[in-house]
Amino acid sequence: MTPLVCCLRRYNAISLVCRIVIGMAIGLALGVSASGLSYISLLGDLFVGALKGLAPILVFGLVCAALARGQAGVDRRFSLVIALYLLSTILAATVAVVMSFLFTPTLELASQSDATGAPASIGEAFTSLLLTMTSNPLDSIAQGRYIGILFWATLFGLALRRCASDTTVEVLGAFANALGLLTRWVVNFAPFGVLGIVYTNVSTNGALIFLTYGKLLLVLVGTMLISALVVNPTLVALTLRTNPYPLVLRVLRESGVTAFFTRSSAANIPVNMSLCERLGLDKEMYAVSIPIGATINMNGAAVTIAIMSLAAAHTVGVHVSLLSALALSLIASLGACGAAGVAGGSLLLIPMACSLFSVSNDVAMQAVAVGFIIGVVQDSMETALNSSGDALFTATAEYFSWKKHGKSLPKFLGGQTETELK
C-alpha cells in the first residue's frame, strides 16, 4: 500500500463532520494570525467552483434519469414535500413580522445602492421566472438557472420515457450513478474548501458590522434560528409524530454548516444529495425534490424580505398595521419563491415589499445597500436555513411514507432501520 493510499484511507476513516470542524478551526486560526495567503483562499474558491460547476449537470442528469425510468416520486411524498416547503416559508415570514413588531429594528440610511434589476412587482418577478424557465436549456445549465434546468430536464425525461430503449435507460442510469459518485468525491474534500472560506472571511471582514447594525443582525439571525430550531422541527414532529431534533440537528450539521460557508443554495445541492443518500432516501425522490427546494424553499429569503422592508418602514416613521404586515408575510413568501432565479436573490425584492407601505424607492434601495453590507452574516444564515430545509423536508416526506407503509423509521429517530452514520 502506497503512502498516498494510506493517507487517503485514514482521512476517509474520520467522519466528514469532524473533518469540517477541523478545517473550520484551522481556517479561523490562520485568518486571525496571518493575512494575504492567497493560496489558502484558493482552496475555498476551488471548492465552491467545483460544487457550482457540478450542480447544474447533476440536477439535469438525475431528473432526466429518474423520469426516464418511470419511477420519479410524483406521488404523495412529492406533494407532501412541496406543501412543507411552502408552509415553512410562510411561517418563517410570519415569525419575521412578529419579531419586527417586537423589536422594531431600523436602518442607518447613509448610502445609495448600486443594485439594479430589482423587480417592481410580484407580476414582474414571476414574468422573469417564466422567461427563465423557457430559456435555452444549454444556457440554463451554463448559467446555473435551476428553474430552466428543472423545466427542460422534466420535458427531456418524459420524452425519453416514451421513446427510449431499455439500453438507453440503462445508460442514463449509469450516467446518474456516475454523477452521484462524482458528487461524493467533491463533497469529500469539503474540509479543505471550508478551511479556505473561513480563512477568507476572517481575514477580510472586521467586526464593525456587528457594531453598526447589531440590532438588525440580531433580529435577522434570531428569527432564522427560531425558524430552524422551532418552526421547522414543529412541522417535522406533526408529520412524523416523533422527536424531530435528531433529524433536524443532523441536517443542520451536515448541510447547514456547509451552506453557511458557501453562501450558495446551488452549490449546496450536491451536498444535500449526498446527505439524502446517507439518510437512506429514495434517489428517485430526492433527485427531484432537492433542486426544486433550492428554488422554492426560501424560508431565509422570506425572513430577510419581511424584516428589511419593515425596518425601512420603521426608519422613516411609516405606520404599519398588523394586518398589512401579515399580508406582507404572504407577499414575502411568494416573492422569495419567484426571486430564486433573479440575480441578487432576496435583497432585490426589498423595494417591491417596501412599496406596500409607500416607502420611497430611494429609501428602499438604501435598505438593499445595508443588506449587502451585512450580507456576510445575513446571507450565510439565510442560505443555511434555506438549503438545510431542502434536505430536512425531503427526509420528512420520505419517512412519512415509510411509516404509512409499515416500514420503521431510522434508528436515530427511534426506529429499527439502518442508515449510514458517517
Side-chain angles (χ1 to χ4, degrees), residues 82-368:
I82 295 298
L84 290 170
Y85 284 162
L86 297 178
L87 181 58
S88 65
T89 300
I90 293 172
L91 290 176
T94 303
V95 172
V97 167
V98 173
M99 292 288 283
S100 293
F101 271 81
L102 289 175
F103 298 101
T104 59
T106 56
L107 308 173
E108 296 286 339
L109 301 181
S111 62
Q112 297 288 335
S113 172
D114 294 329
T116 58
S121 66
I122 286 286
E124 185 176 327
F126 277 98
T127 298
S128 174
L129 187 69
L130 292 173
L131 291 175
T132 300
M133 181 186 298
T134 55
S135 63
N136 185 288
L138 295 179
D139 187 52
S140 293
I141 293 174
Q143 299 297 323
R145 299 187 187 118
Y146 286 91
I147 285 291
I149 292 170
L150 283 169
F151 177 76
W152 287 111
T154 300
L155 292 185
F156 274 109
L158 292 174
L160 286 168
R161 183 177 176 179
R162 296 194 63 178
C163 64
S165 65
D166 291 341
T167 302
T168 303
V169 172
E170 288 179 6
V171 170
L172 283 172
F175 180 64
N177 292 334
L179 286 173
L181 180 60
L182 182 57
T183 298
R184 290 194 292 274
W185 287 350
V186 172
V187 172
N188 200 35
F189 289 93
F192 296 98
V194 169
L195 187 158
I197 295 168
V198 171
Y199 169 79
T200 302
N201 285 337
V202 172
S203 61
T204 59
N205 295 297
L208 292 179
I209 56 171
F210 294 100
L211 301 177
T212 306
Y213 302 104
K215 183 177 181 180
L216 178 61
L217 270 173
L218 284 174
V219 174
L220 280 166
V221 171
T223 303
M224 292 181 192
L225 287 175
I226 290 172
S227 182
L229 298 175
V230 179
V231 175
N232 289 354
T234 300
L235 291 175
V236 174
L238 291 174
T239 303
L240 298 181
R241 305 293 180 179
T242 190
N243 178 12
Y245 285 100
L247 176 61
V248 170
L249 295 178
R250 182 174 178 183
V251 168
L252 288 173
R253 184 175 70 246
E254 299 187 29
S255 172
V257 169
T258 309
F260 181 90
F261 290 110
T262 61
R263 296 170 62 184
S264 170
S265 292
N268 215 48
I269 287 175
V271 176
N272 275 340
M273 289 195 173
S274 179
L275 172 58
C276 287
E277 182 180 10
R278 294 194 300 277
L279 290 172
L281 307 186
D282 181 3
K283 187 175 182 179
E284 312 299 340
M285 173 66 178
Y286 68 72
V288 180
S289 66
I290 291 297
I292 286 181
T295 304
I296 68 170
N297 183 39
M298 291 289 164
N299 310 43
V303 167
T304 297
I305 294 168
I307 289 179
M308 294 295 289
S309 58
L310 286 172
H314 294 148
T315 300
V316 296
V318 173
H319 174 70
V320 180
S321 69
L322 180 60
L323 185 61
S324 60
L326 290 176
L328 169 67
S329 65
L330 181 59
I331 297 298
S333 301
L334 294 174
C337 296
V342 178
S346 59
L347 295 177
L348 291 181
L349 279 174
I350 293 173
M352 179 192 70
C354 285
S355 67
L356 297 174
F357 311 120
S358 300
V359 174
S360 71
N361 192 60
D362 176 66
V363 171
M365 293 310 292
Q366 289 187 59
V368 174

Side-chain angles (χ1 to χ4, degrees), residues 26-42:
I26 296 173
L28 179 62
L30 291 175
V32 171
S33 61
S35 61
L37 304 179
S38 58
Y39 57 89
I40 295 180
S41 297
L42 181 61

Side-chain angles (χ1 to χ4, degrees), residues 1 8 12 29 50 77-78 157 162 225 246 253 258 277 335-336 400 415:
M1 185 185 299
L8 285 174
N12 289 325
R77 293 176 303 167
F78 193 76
R162 296 194 63 178
L225 287 175
R253 184 175 70 246
T258 309
E277 182 180 10
F400 178 79

